[in-house]
């Protein structure tokens, strides 16, 4: 029987191995400077931090350690957003309770200023794309990493407070303030789907992209691009293209890679859904 930390690592592996995942690294497709092997190495590197979460360590410390380990491979940021979802989910299992929206809500509601400081220090280990903050929030710009911790402490902001201030521009943060709504919905879809887990992961990724524009795409490009990508995914998903026209999804995937469009937030939510499905026993691997 796998431990929660093992299920979290398996979720990361299944997510990156699912194909086709338009615009993202998968087992058949690399990006210009980010390869499939980097994600495998990042998963291995995150091991200690995920085990810390499993053993009841604070969310901030566990997340920083997971990111530090993840960043030890040569590709840079591979799974920062996914780990920001997985660490509280794993921590929610530390007391032996069944994983549910209420148990993970309790974890995030109990985060502290020290947890927020750990989150900021994680940015010292790896470059992460984030949108420019409003002028009044510049002292709290996460890209400042540990240099922003004094401003964070002066304001007494917990990690949940930081996530709340990142909505609506960041859908990973949105999960924190909505009881991991989409993550649990993704888990239900994964259980209901058929076929190998990697095929299910790719299908659920497309369904998530079809229903909501990816915030990483919106921030890197603009909201119009993100909406058009989501609309195209919806067209493919409504045709059940993963079964009837896989070439159409492959074409979509290649097109996004060529245009440098990476729906990474959708991949993060897919990884969280995989973990929930694995941990609750609904997805057998």
């Amino acid at each position: 029987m796998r431990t929660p930390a093992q299920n979290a690592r398996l979720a990361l592996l299944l997510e990156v191995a699912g194909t086709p995942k338009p615009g993202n690294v998968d087992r058949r497709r690399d990006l210009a400077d980010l390869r499939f092997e980097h994600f495998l190495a990042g998963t291995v590197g995150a091991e200690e931090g995920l085990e810390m979460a499993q053993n009841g360590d604070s969310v901030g410390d566990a997340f920083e350690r997971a990111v530090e380990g993840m960043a030890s491979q040569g590709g840079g940021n591979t799974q920062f957003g996914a780990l920001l979802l997985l660490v509280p989910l794993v921590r929610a299992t530390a007391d032996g309770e069944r994983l549910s929206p209420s148990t993970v809500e309790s974890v995030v509601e109990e985060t502290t200023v020290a947890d927020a400081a750990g989150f900021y220090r994680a940015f010292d280990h790896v470059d992460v794309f984030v949108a420019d903050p409003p002028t009044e929030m510049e002292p709290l710009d996460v890209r400042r990493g540990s240099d922003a911790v004094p401003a964070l402490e002066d304001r007494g902001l917990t990690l949940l407070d930081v996530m709340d201030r990142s909505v609506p521009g960041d859908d990973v943060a949105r999960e924190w303030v909505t009881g991991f709504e989409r993550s649990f919905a993704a888990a239900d879809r994964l259980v209901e789907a058929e076929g190998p887990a990697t095929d299910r992961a790719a299908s659920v990724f497309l369904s998530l992209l079809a229903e909501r524009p990816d915030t990483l795409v919106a921030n890197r490009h603009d909201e119009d691009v993100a909406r058009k990508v989501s609309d195209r995914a919806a067209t493919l998903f409504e045709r059940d293209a993963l079964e009837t026209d896989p070439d159409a999804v492959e074409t979509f995937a290649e097109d996004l890679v060529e245009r440098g469009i990476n729906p990474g937030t959708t991949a993060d939510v897919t990884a969280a859904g995989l973990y929930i499905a694995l941990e609750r026993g609904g997805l057998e691997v």
Side-chain angles (χ1 to χ4, degrees):
M1 184 174 180
R2 287 185 297 267
T3 67
Q6 289 172 335
N7 272 334
R9 296 198 299 277
L10 179 56
L12 292 172
L13 294 172
L14 292 173
E15 188 284 315
V16 73
T19 188
K21 291 201 319 298
N24 287 271
V25 171
D26 60 35
R27 69 179 186 270
R28 296 177 185 165
R29 186 173 292 101
D30 293 329
L31 303 183
D33 55 357
L34 196 58
R35 302 190 301 273
F36 180 64
E37 65 200 61
H38 292 142
F39 281 78
L40 303 183
T43 299
V44 173
E47 177 178 7
E48 184 177 341
L50 292 169
E51 289 182 347
M52 287 172 63
Q54 172 186 284
N55 293 334
D57 284 36
S58 70
V59 169
D61 287 345
F63 176 71
E64 183 191 358
R65 181 66 193 90
V67 169
E68 182 181 14
M70 176 272 292
S72 64
Q73 39 70 35
N77 177 25
T78 51
Q79 295 129 324
F80 189 98
L83 290 170
L84 189 54
L85 296 175
L86 288 172
V87 166
L89 286 167
V90 172
R91 180 65 183 81
T93 67
D95 297 326
E97 294 187 54
R98 176 174 169 78
L99 185 58
S100 68
S102 62
T103 57
V104 72
E105 281 178 342
S106 294
V107 168
V108 301
E109 287 170 358
E110 292 171 2
T111 58
T112 64
V113 176
D115 289 316
F119 169 71
Y120 271 76
R121 286 193 298 270
F123 285 84
D124 293 340
H125 302 299
V126 65
D127 289 331
V128 180
F129 180 88
V130 294
D132 293 332
T135 301
E136 67 274 13
M137 293 294 289
E138 285 181 359
L140 292 171
D141 188 343
V142 292
R143 293 170 295 189
R144 298 183 63 214
S146 57
D147 289 341
V149 169
L152 180 78
E153 293 174 338
D154 285 345
R155 289 163 174 77
L157 298 177
T158 69
L159 184 46
L160 180 57
D161 292 333
V162 172
M163 294 297 106
D164 187 52
R165 283 161 172 76
S166 300
V167 178
D170 182 346
D171 270 2
V172 169
R174 182 178 180 271
E175 288 297 279
W176 272 62
V177 301
T178 61
F180 287 59
E181 177 182 41
R182 296 185 77 209
S183 299
F184 279 93
D188 290 341
R189 294 177 198 176
L190 285 157
V191 172
E192 293 168 0
E194 297 180 353
T198 50
D199 290 353
R200 298 189 197 195
S203 177
V204 169
F205 169 89
L206 191 63
S207 77
L208 292 169
L209 185 59
E211 72 183 9
R212 186 175 176 85
D214 189 279
T215 50
L216 180 61
V217 174
N219 289 328
R220 279 186 167 170
H221 302 275
D222 58 46
E223 292 184 1
D224 184 58
V225 171
R227 184 173 58 255
K228 288 178 179 177
V229 168
S230 184
D231 289 346
R232 187 172 175 187
T235 300
L236 295 170
F237 188 72
E238 287 171 0
R239 293 205 316 260
D240 202 14
L242 287 178
E243 293 181 9
T244 63
D245 192 4
D247 290 343
V249 186
E250 288 286 353
T251 298
F252 182 32
E254 292 298 336
D255 177 56
L256 292 190
V257 169
E258 289 175 6
R259 294 165 60 194
I261 297 174
N262 168 220
T265 301
T266 306
D268 297 335
V269 176
T270 302
L274 281 161
Y275 173 74
I276 295 167
L278 289 166
E279 184 62 24
R280 297 171 83 175
L283 181 64
E284 295 184 1
V285 177

